[in-house]
Amino acid sequence: MATNGDPSMISPPSSISNGPEPQLPPLPPPLRSTQVLQPLSVYPVSTLSQEATYDYVFSGPLDSQALSSTLKLTSPPVRVRPDGNSGVDDGRSSTGTRHSPGSGLKRPRYIGDGTGSLGSRKSERCDGEDAESLRQLLIELQKQVSVMSMNLSAKLDDLQRGDRHLETTVALCEIRTQLQELTKSVESCQTEVSEVKRDMVAIKHELDTVQQVKEEIEELREYVDRLEEHTHRRKLRLLEQGLTFFLTYAIFAAVLGMLQFGYNTGVINAPEVNIENFMKDVYKDRYGEDISEEFIQQLYSVAVSIFAIGGMLGGISGGWMANRFGRKGGLLLNNVLGIAGACLMGFTKMSHSYEMLFLGRFIIGVNCGLNTSLVPMYISEIAPLNLRGGLGTVNQLAVTVGLLLSQVLGIEQILGTNDGWPVLLGLAICPAVLQLLLLPICPESPRYLLITKQWEEEARKALRRLRASNQVEEDIEEMRAEERAQQCESSISLIELICSPTLRAPLIIGIVMQLSQQFSGINAVFYYSTSLFMSSGLTEESAKFATIGIGAIMVSVLRENMG
């Protein structure tokens, strides 16, 4: 056995014969600590006899019973040298090596025929002793090798099952867990990178959209600049427009309706006493008794106030009538009411009925209410841009002129008598008939034709007549701009107007302004100025002249405002 403690294994020769010595295979390299032991080789030992060919040849006969067991040896194998000095080689070279205890055994001479001399018998006896010694040696070697193999196997099992293996397994598990977490982190990062890419694509798309919007805004700015420049030039040309003959004619024909309103507002003032006397006579003739002063005042109050009630109804329906029949068509139809109301008031005394006076005042009130809506609308739509504000005051001037005319005609020297007051009231037919004759020649409102009816060519014809020029494109563009602005505005009903918190403040301001006008007492002056002056100590004639003075002051003030 090798002296270094390595396990050895006996390699059997192929055969034992009288021929040349068999060649043994080369020794394997010594076992290192890092090498894994191979399974132990098992070589059977055949029964030794003189006639048999032995697998393992030793000096002397061997006990087949002893060598019938199996030897489990590990490399390097133990070899029996073929020379006379048999020994165990540990894998090193023959020179300079140590041999096992069996190295001193002598190789016996083999006698092939089985017979011989005394020397041969001695030789057989010596061989038997040597074989016994070798057998004992092999048994010990087998035990030692078995113990060493078991120890090595147990050591390897301990190493495999030991702490190092556990530490390695734990480390591998931790590494595997970390790799799984790292994989999840990488997948999460990939997902986040994908989301970031999508966000970047969306941001790029938004940036492109913003850039496109920016370019569109720049184009719109350029367009707005050009439009403003064009609008400025158009306004300059519009401001250069002036009054033409046909425009003046149309304005005069339209303001006759406001003259009607002023006349019927003030016509009831001067003949107050004459109207009250008429009512007393009618009441006495009907009922055979005199009417009380209190009741006659109530009847006169009804004749005065019913005009305002009719005016309220006419003013409310003015917008509908203007859109339904047009500005010009509405004024023409309104004259029918004016003529009917004037006739009823003019024939009141002839019919001997003050109820006809009430009905006539109500109808003429509706006529005047419609005029207050239709006339300013028509004048503002046919007037040039530079004259629109000034021509708006023509309406108030016509009202004051009508007031002054009714006050002048109401004096006793003209129609302020018991027989003349029905004529004074019936003269309200004149503005209506005159307007009915003059207005058909006038064109319809160009804005109504273009915006409401969408009759562009008819609007051009009307503008050419009013402007006395073929250059009407500026007016058409201005109307188009007004139409676009009107379309952008949302229309609301009267209930929505009242309930809207946003429009509540402007609505209250408008109502207060109108109420302040009524609370100022101007209507009392229009209707009762003669009675007020008479109660102040003036005579009836002087009171009527004082009322005329009030009307003249109003006309002069408005004339100055127009100038």
Side-chain angles (χ1 to χ4, degrees):
M1 186 175 61
T3 59
N4 57 359
D6 294 337
S8 301
M9 179 177 63
I10 299 176
S11 298
S14 62
S15 63
I16 299 176
S17 64
N18 293 329
E21 297 291 334
Q23 299 295 325
L24 298 175
L27 297 175
L31 183 65
R32 298 289 184 256
S33 60
T34 59
Q35 290 177 327
V36 180
L37 294 179
Q38 301 295 328
L40 298 178
S41 302
V42 178
Y43 297 96
V45 180
S46 302
T47 305
L48 297 177
S49 65
Q50 292 181 356
E51 290 86 3
T53 301
Y54 299 106
D55 290 335
Y56 293 93
V57 181
F58 302 97
S59 297
L62 295 175
D63 187 3
S64 61
Q65 297 293 332
L67 295 178
S68 62
S69 62
T70 301
L71 297 179
K72 294 182 179 180
L73 302 178
T74 58
S75 60
V78 178
R79 299 181 183 181
V80 179
R81 296 183 180 277
D83 55 1
N85 297 326
S86 299
V88 179
D89 193 358
D90 59 354
R92 299 191 181 99
S93 61
S94 60
T95 61
T97 58
R98 292 185 299 173
H99 298 281
S100 62
S103 62
L105 298 177
K106 301 295 184 179
R107 179 182 179 185
R109 296 178 183 269
Y110 176 72
I111 300 175
D113 54 0
T115 62
S117 60
L118 179 61
S120 62
R121 289 194 297 270
K122 291 181 180 180
S123 176
E124 290 175 0
R125 188 169 50 251
C126 292
D127 291 337
E129 294 176 355
D130 293 337
E132 182 67 18
S133 300
L134 183 58
R135 186 178 65 80
Q136 296 294 332
L137 179 62
L138 287 174
I139 292 172
E140 293 178 358
L141 180 61
Q142 180 184 3
K143 293 179 179 180
Q144 293 178 2
V145 169
S146 298
V147 171
M148 291 177 64
S149 177
M150 292 173 65
N151 292 336
L152 287 174
S153 298
K155 186 65 176 177
L156 288 174
D157 292 339
D158 292 341
L159 289 175
Q160 290 177 358
R161 292 190 301 266
D163 295 338
R164 294 180 181 177
H165 178 71
L166 292 176
E167 293 177 357
T168 303
T169 304
V170 172
L172 289 174
C173 291
E174 292 179 354
I175 291 172
R176 187 178 296 107
T177 303
Q178 293 178 0
L179 286 176
Q180 291 176 355
E181 294 178 355
L182 181 61
T183 303
K184 293 179 180 180
S185 300
V186 170
E187 292 176 355
S188 177
C189 291
Q190 290 177 352
T191 303
E192 293 178 358
V193 168
S194 300
E195 292 178 356
V196 169
K197 287 182 178 179
R198 288 195 298 268
D199 294 340
M200 292 179 66
V201 171
I203 292 172
K204 185 177 182 299
H205 180 69
E206 291 179 357
L207 289 176
D208 295 339
T209 304
V210 169
Q211 183 65 27
Q212 184 178 0
V213 171
K214 183 178 179 181
E215 294 176 356
E216 292 178 357
I217 290 175
E218 293 296 332
E219 294 178 357
L220 287 176
R221 286 180 178 176
E222 295 178 358
Y223 176 76
V224 169
D225 293 339
R226 293 194 302 268
L227 185 61
E228 288 180 353
E229 184 179 359
H230 179 69
T231 303
H232 181 68
R233 291 196 302 266
R234 187 180 71 247
K235 286 183 178 180
L236 290 178
R237 287 193 295 269
L238 290 175
L239 291 175
E240 293 176 356
Q241 296 177 354
L243 285 173
T244 61
F245 172 79
F246 201 75
L247 178 62
T248 305
Y249 173 84
I251 293 172
F252 174 77
V255 296
L256 289 175
M258 298 307 294
L259 181 69
Q260 177 85 297
F261 173 73
Y263 182 85
N264 287 283
T265 301
V267 74
I268 200 72
N269 187 358
E272 177 182 358
V273 177
N274 304 108
I275 294 173
E276 289 179 352
N277 293 331
F278 167 73
M279 290 181 180
K280 290 177 181 180
D281 295 338
V282 172
Y283 187 84
K284 187 175 182 179
D285 292 340
R286 287 181 182 179
Y287 303 104
E289 59 182 12
D290 295 332
I291 190 173
S292 63
E293 291 295 330
E294 182 180 357
F295 187 66
I296 197 65
Q297 292 294 330
Q298 292 178 358
L299 290 177
Y300 182 77
S301 299
V302 171
V304 172
S305 60
I306 199 171
F307 172 81
I309 296 174
M312 180 182 65
L313 295 177
I316 293 174
S317 58
W320 171 81
M321 194 168 185
N323 292 326
R324 179 67 177 82
F325 302 102
R327 283 56 166 163
K328 173 185 171 182
L331 288 174
L332 290 174
L333 292 176
N334 191 30
N335 289 323
V336 177
L337 296 177
I339 294 173
C343 291
L344 289 173
M345 291 187 297
F347 292 103
T348 297
K349 188 174 182 179
M350 186 181 298
S351 63
H352 202 69
S353 172
Y354 51 78
E355 289 84 5
M356 187 177 290
L357 174 63
F358 297 158
L359 181 59
R361 288 284 293 176
F362 175 78
I363 293 176
I364 205 68
V366 175
N367 170 265
C368 293
L370 288 171
N371 283 327
T372 57
S373 297
L374 296 174
V375 174
M377 189 184 303
Y378 180 76
I379 292 177
S380 64
E381 291 182 358
I382 67 174
L385 181 63
N386 59 328
L387 301 176
R388 194 167 297 168
L391 294 178
T393 60
V394 175
N395 299 313
Q396 294 298 324
L397 179 62
V399 172
T400 56
V401 170
L403 282 169
L404 180 59
L405 182 60
S406 65
Q407 292 167 357
V408 170
L409 294 177
I411 61 176
E412 292 183 1
Q413 287 79 7
I414 302 177
L415 296 174
T417 60
N418 290 328
D419 295 329
W421 68 267
V423 179
L424 179 64
L425 296 178
L427 286 177
I429 195 175
C430 295
V433 173
L434 186 60
Q435 188 180 57
L436 193 60
L437 294 175
L438 298 178
L439 198 59
I441 304 175
C442 300
E444 181 57 90
S445 167
R447 278 177 174 77
Y448 172 76
L449 296 173
L450 182 65
I451 297 176
T452 305
K453 292 296 185 179
Q454 298 295 324
W455 295 343
E456 184 173 350
E457 190 60 31
E458 296 296 329
R460 292 177 185 275
K461 292 180 180 179
L463 285 172
R464 292 190 187 101
R465 294 179 64 188
L466 293 171
R467 303 292 184 265
S469 174
N470 293 326
Q471 303 299 326
V472 294
E473 295 302 324
E474 289 80 6
D475 295 272
I476 295 294
E477 290 296 330
E478 192 264 338
M479 294 177 192
R480 289 294 187 189
E482 182 181 350
E483 180 183 7
R484 289 190 293 268
Q486 183 177 356
Q487 291 176 352
C488 294
E489 296 178 356
S490 59
S491 59
I492 60 175
S493 63
L494 182 61
I495 302 299
E496 293 176 346
L497 175 63
I498 296 173
C499 299
S500 175
T502 305
L503 301 176
R504 188 172 299 162
L507 179 62
I508 292 175
I509 292 173
I511 293 174
V512 170
M513 290 180 65
Q514 295 298 323
L515 290 177
S516 62
Q517 179 182 358
Q518 302 301 320
F519 291 156
S520 66
I522 188 63
N523 289 333
V525 173
F526 292 158
Y527 299 138
Y528 299 102
S529 61
T530 303
S531 299
L532 293 174
F533 286 126
M534 290 176 62
S535 62
S536 300
L538 296 178
T539 61
E540 183 178 356
E541 185 177 1
S542 299
K544 292 181 179 179
F545 282 108
T547 302
I548 293 173
I550 294 174
I553 293 173
M554 293 176 63
V555 172
S556 62
V557 169
L558 287 174
R559 185 67 182 86
E560 290 177 1
N561 291 333
M562 291 182 60

